Amino acid sequence: MFKYLFAKAEDIPAGSAAVYFGFSSIVWFVIGTGLGSFNAAKLAFPDFVMGSELLSFGHMRQVHVLAVILGWISMAFAMAMMYITPALGNTKLWSEKLGVWNCFLWNVGLSLGLFLLWLGVSSGREYSDLPWFIDIVVILGVLLPLGINVWMTIKTRRTQGIYTTNWFFGAATFMVIIVFTVGNSPEFFQLTGLTEAYLTWWFAHNVLGLWITPVAAAISYYVVPKVTGNPLYSHRIGHLHFWSVVVFYSTPAAHHLMSAPLPEWLKSFASVEGVLILVPAIAFVSNLLLTMTGKWRMFVENIEIKFTITGVLMAIPLNMQGGFQQTRAINWYIHGTGWIVAHAHLALLGFSTFLEAAAVYYGLQTLLRRKLYSLGLANFHFWMLLIGFTTYWVSMTIAGLIQGAGKIYEVPYIDVIIAEHPYMIARWVGGTMVFLGNCVWLYNMYKTAIAGTAIPEGRLPHELAYER
Amino acid sequence: MAFREYKIGARMFGLAFGTSMFITLYMPAVDIASVSATSIAMDRQLSFGRVGGFSYEDPFLLGWGKPITVQITKDPKTGAAIQSTRAFVYEADVPFPNGIRHPRILGTAPAAASDTKGRIGEADEASGAVFVVREVIEGGVTVPYIENVTATRGWTPSATLAKAADSQRLYVGKGKIMFVREGCWWCHTLLPEETQDWQYFGAPPMLGDFNGESPTAFGSDRKAPDLTHVGSRNSSREWMMMHFFNPRLVQPHSIMPRYDYLWGETDASGKAIDYDGWRSAYTAYANGETVYAPDVPVPAKDSEARALIDFVLNLK
């Protein structure tokens, strides 16, 4: 990678940036889930690794969250953008060199930011914990170069139209820059009080709604038609999805502070608006599932489709929860409980991770021109992720309902802790399964890069039979 | 221009996204900005100092550049007995909180009262200042304001600190830094919910209770009791000390981590703390081999544990 930072643009092989992003994302996924497993162990067994400030829960929790969001998920997005955007425009990435620099700055900036967070250098704001100088590195070194590459690749495309995936990529890279800049403005401009609290959650909501969710969906709009060979069921429904995300997902940020003293009109507006998340969700899920018509056997036989469709199916409970849990009628019960933690993992570890994993599997094979080393290991990865995640989600949902009951019946808090203990152990077991599955994935992709069967010119990876 | 066929789409996108930002950013910002600070908000920001997270004055979150909250019963200038008064001492070069730096955020009436009656405009960071929170009734409405008692009564920071014994000092500003740095707020919320928490965790905060505070550290994922009013529920310094050193001493089922490392090298008497010895003695106690748990060392005056305990006890 380093040799390409100062190489002539024409000497950098096409797809380099995407490959670097792909492997970086897997490494960050291993780190992020490893931290998650470690933290979960501490919640089940509080004296597990004690006496060290740096290894305490309070110093590691935010590192887990941001390693997964900015390392795994966002880098997998960058990887997908760097090969899907040009492929859909029938062209090359606008600047491979900018892409390589982007990957380099991203890894350096994120490592530095997470190291500081680990030491405790934090802004004290959830999800926007990074201190402001790291925020500037993220905006200028991470998000802006990525956006420029995507926009310019779309602009220099050699097709007449712009496919659905690229609308999402182009719009989401733009919106995430706005979201990141505005969301961190309390630190830039020393905004305080409820303004700051609201902007913290405005950021947390919109980084999910205008970055993670639409980009993950956009990836599946590419992977499913490409691998199954079926055209997208409906571009009109794709339009509906796109526009309803922009309008309906960008507005209900205040529902995260439903029990805080924000203006009542804002909370009511957000709550009603929040239910409309079902519009893009239904459009997305139905569009993808109908695209699968006649190719459902690939859900079993093909690893990319298996991951993608599992992710799409998880969007159903995700949005049913998301749409209704923020209404006052339900929020009073589950606000601030493990239910929300389960929901957040359903969004990031369930829905979005499965879609990105498919993109990374597919992209690395395409770019390296190597068939996946082992289907057996990939299936092992899939089931470890799915069973591990499900264990986590079910146990945390139950824990959340216990906590909610404890809250409304005013049970002494320690009784809630005692009741939750078995679920904390289950959560740790589930998280550890995900971590172990990812270690296997990293090994599998490494072997693919060095020992996978070469894919002949003019063939696509999924057209070749698996060998192991 | 390859984009020409998407001109309408781009404008529609701008309209949709712009409208959404207008509704979710501009309108709430205007509404929240019109809220006047309550006396609680003034107390909070004056005791916490400028920033509770990363800042120039405290880049490593060690509690540098924070005010000290004192409870005094003697006038620092004249030495005469006064009604017990809570004052916020900003020594030289300790950055002032946001309400002093930008009085506008306190709201119209409190900002005017703080300026005319409280003379906060005369406060100077370079030489330090002492503030108290006062209330005045204007036209039947109680208006809280900040008084710069260094200007109005001549209470200098050093004279005020001289009148406050150690037991009358609370290192709340430094404690808030510990609260943020150690991630207490990942489990303990600072926000009783408006729906169900009234009886158990006390009254939820009001709209103007946070003006000037940064970060608010509400917390979102409650894995432990809300702490907003914890100082009213439990005001025992001894209990807090034991609980922070090893929560299982006072609550056997607690899943809170041990914060013994905040004690540092030595205890209040200057004696080195033998952590390994303490832990093995505790293990013996936890296993039922001994009858009594080992004694918890009293934290030193300048230790991080002392500041964190002060912060928690101050949450009333």
Side-chain angles (χ1 to χ4, degrees), chain A residues 47 162 198 250 261 265 403, chain B residues 6 20 24 31 207 220 222 248:
Chain A
D47 282 340
I162 301 176
Y198 175 61
S250 59
W265 70 265
Q403 230 177 314
Chain B
Y6 291 101
S20 155
T24 61
D31 199 351
L207 204 51
S220 65
R222 189 189 280 171
R248 261 76 58 202

Side-chain angles (χ1 to χ4, degrees), chain A residues 371-375 377 443-445 447-448 451-452 467-468:
Chain A
K371 180 67 182 176
L372 186 63
Y373 174 73
S374 165
L375 176 66
L377 291 182
Y443 171 76
N444 199 11
M445 294 324 279
K447 291 297 275 186
T448 302
E467 291 170 17
R468 286 176 203 84

Side-chain angles (χ1 to χ4, degrees), chain A residues 278-298:
Chain A
L278 290 171
V279 175
I282 293 169
F284 164 66
V285 173
S286 56
N287 210 357
L288 264 293
L289 295 186
L290 287 166
T291 304
M292 283 293 290
T293 307
K295 295 289 171 65
W296 277 99
R297 64 183 172 77
M298 294 187 93

Side-chain angles (χ1 to χ4, degrees), chain A residues 166-282:
Chain A
N166 275 352
W167 312 335
F168 277 101
F169 283 176
T173 43
F174 171 75
M175 292 189 290
V176 76
I177 294 173
I178 306 282
V179 168
F180 217 90
T181 311
V182 175
N184 283 295
S185 58
E187 284 160 75
F188 301 144
F189 304 116
Q190 188 64 16
L191 306 179
T192 59
L194 281 179
T195 313
E196 188 218 49
Y198 175 61
L199 278 172
T200 300
W201 288 100
W202 184 91
F203 173 84
H205 177 84
N206 285 325
V207 82
L208 202 83
L210 303 179
W211 174 242
I212 293 174
T213 313
V215 179
I219 288 172
S220 59
Y221 277 126
Y222 174 79
V223 171
V224 173
K226 183 77 182 172
V227 176
T228 60
N230 282 351
L232 183 64
Y233 175 74
S234 164
H235 278 80
R236 278 288 157 81
I237 298 180
H239 275 274
L240 178 64
H241 179 200
F242 178 82
W243 290 105
S244 54
V245 161
V246 173
V247 177
F248 298 146
Y249 215 147
S250 59
T251 31
H255 66 210
H256 293 259
L257 286 167
M258 215 55 186
S259 57
L262 282 182
E264 287 299 316
W265 70 265
L266 184 60
K267 289 191 281 187
S268 298
F269 170 78
S271 183
V272 173
E273 187 82 331
V275 181
L276 295 174
I277 190 60
L278 290 171
V279 175
I282 293 169

Side-chain angles (χ1 to χ4, degrees), chain A residues 268-396:
Chain A
S268 298
F269 170 78
S271 183
V272 173
E273 187 82 331
V275 181
L276 295 174
I277 190 60
L278 290 171
V279 175
I282 293 169
F284 164 66
V285 173
S286 56
N287 210 357
L288 264 293
L289 295 186
L290 287 166
T291 304
M292 283 293 290
T293 307
K295 295 289 171 65
W296 277 99
R297 64 183 172 77
M298 294 187 93
F299 182 35
V300 180
E301 293 168 2
N302 179 285
I303 194 70
E304 291 87 21
I305 292 295
K306 189 185 277 185
F307 267 104
T308 307
I309 295 301
T310 308
V312 171
L313 290 172
M314 284 203 216
I316 299 171
L318 170 68
N319 289 289
M320 293 303 279
Q321 282 192 336
F324 293 111
Q325 72 188 16
Q326 45 85 40
T327 58
R328 286 175 200 263
I330 300 179
N331 195 263
W332 69 286
Y333 195 91
I334 48 109
H335 183 93
T337 68
W339 171 289
I340 304 293
V341 182
H343 174 75
H345 283 78
L346 178 58
L348 298 184
L349 178 56
F351 161 74
S352 124
T353 283
F354 278 75
L355 301 181
E356 287 130 34
V360 175
Y361 267 111
Y362 187 72
L364 283 181
Q365 292 179 73
T366 312
L367 296 161
L368 298 166
R369 306 299 303 160
R370 299 266 193 180
K371 180 67 182 176
L372 186 63
Y373 174 73
S374 165
L375 176 66
L377 291 182
N379 273 326
F380 179 76
H381 177 219
F382 175 83
W383 287 108
M384 286 294 268
L385 238 61
L386 187 59
I387 298 172
F389 158 72
T390 309
T391 308
Y392 186 102
W393 184 69
V394 169
S395 61
M396 285 314 290

Side-chain angles (χ1 to χ4, degrees), chain A residues 204 294 410:
Chain A
E410 283 151 17

Side-chain angles (χ1 to χ4, degrees), chain A residues 64-75:
Chain A
H64 157 67
V65 171
L66 290 183
V68 173
I69 293 178
L70 291 177
W72 156 239
I73 291 176
S74 297
M75 278 203 196

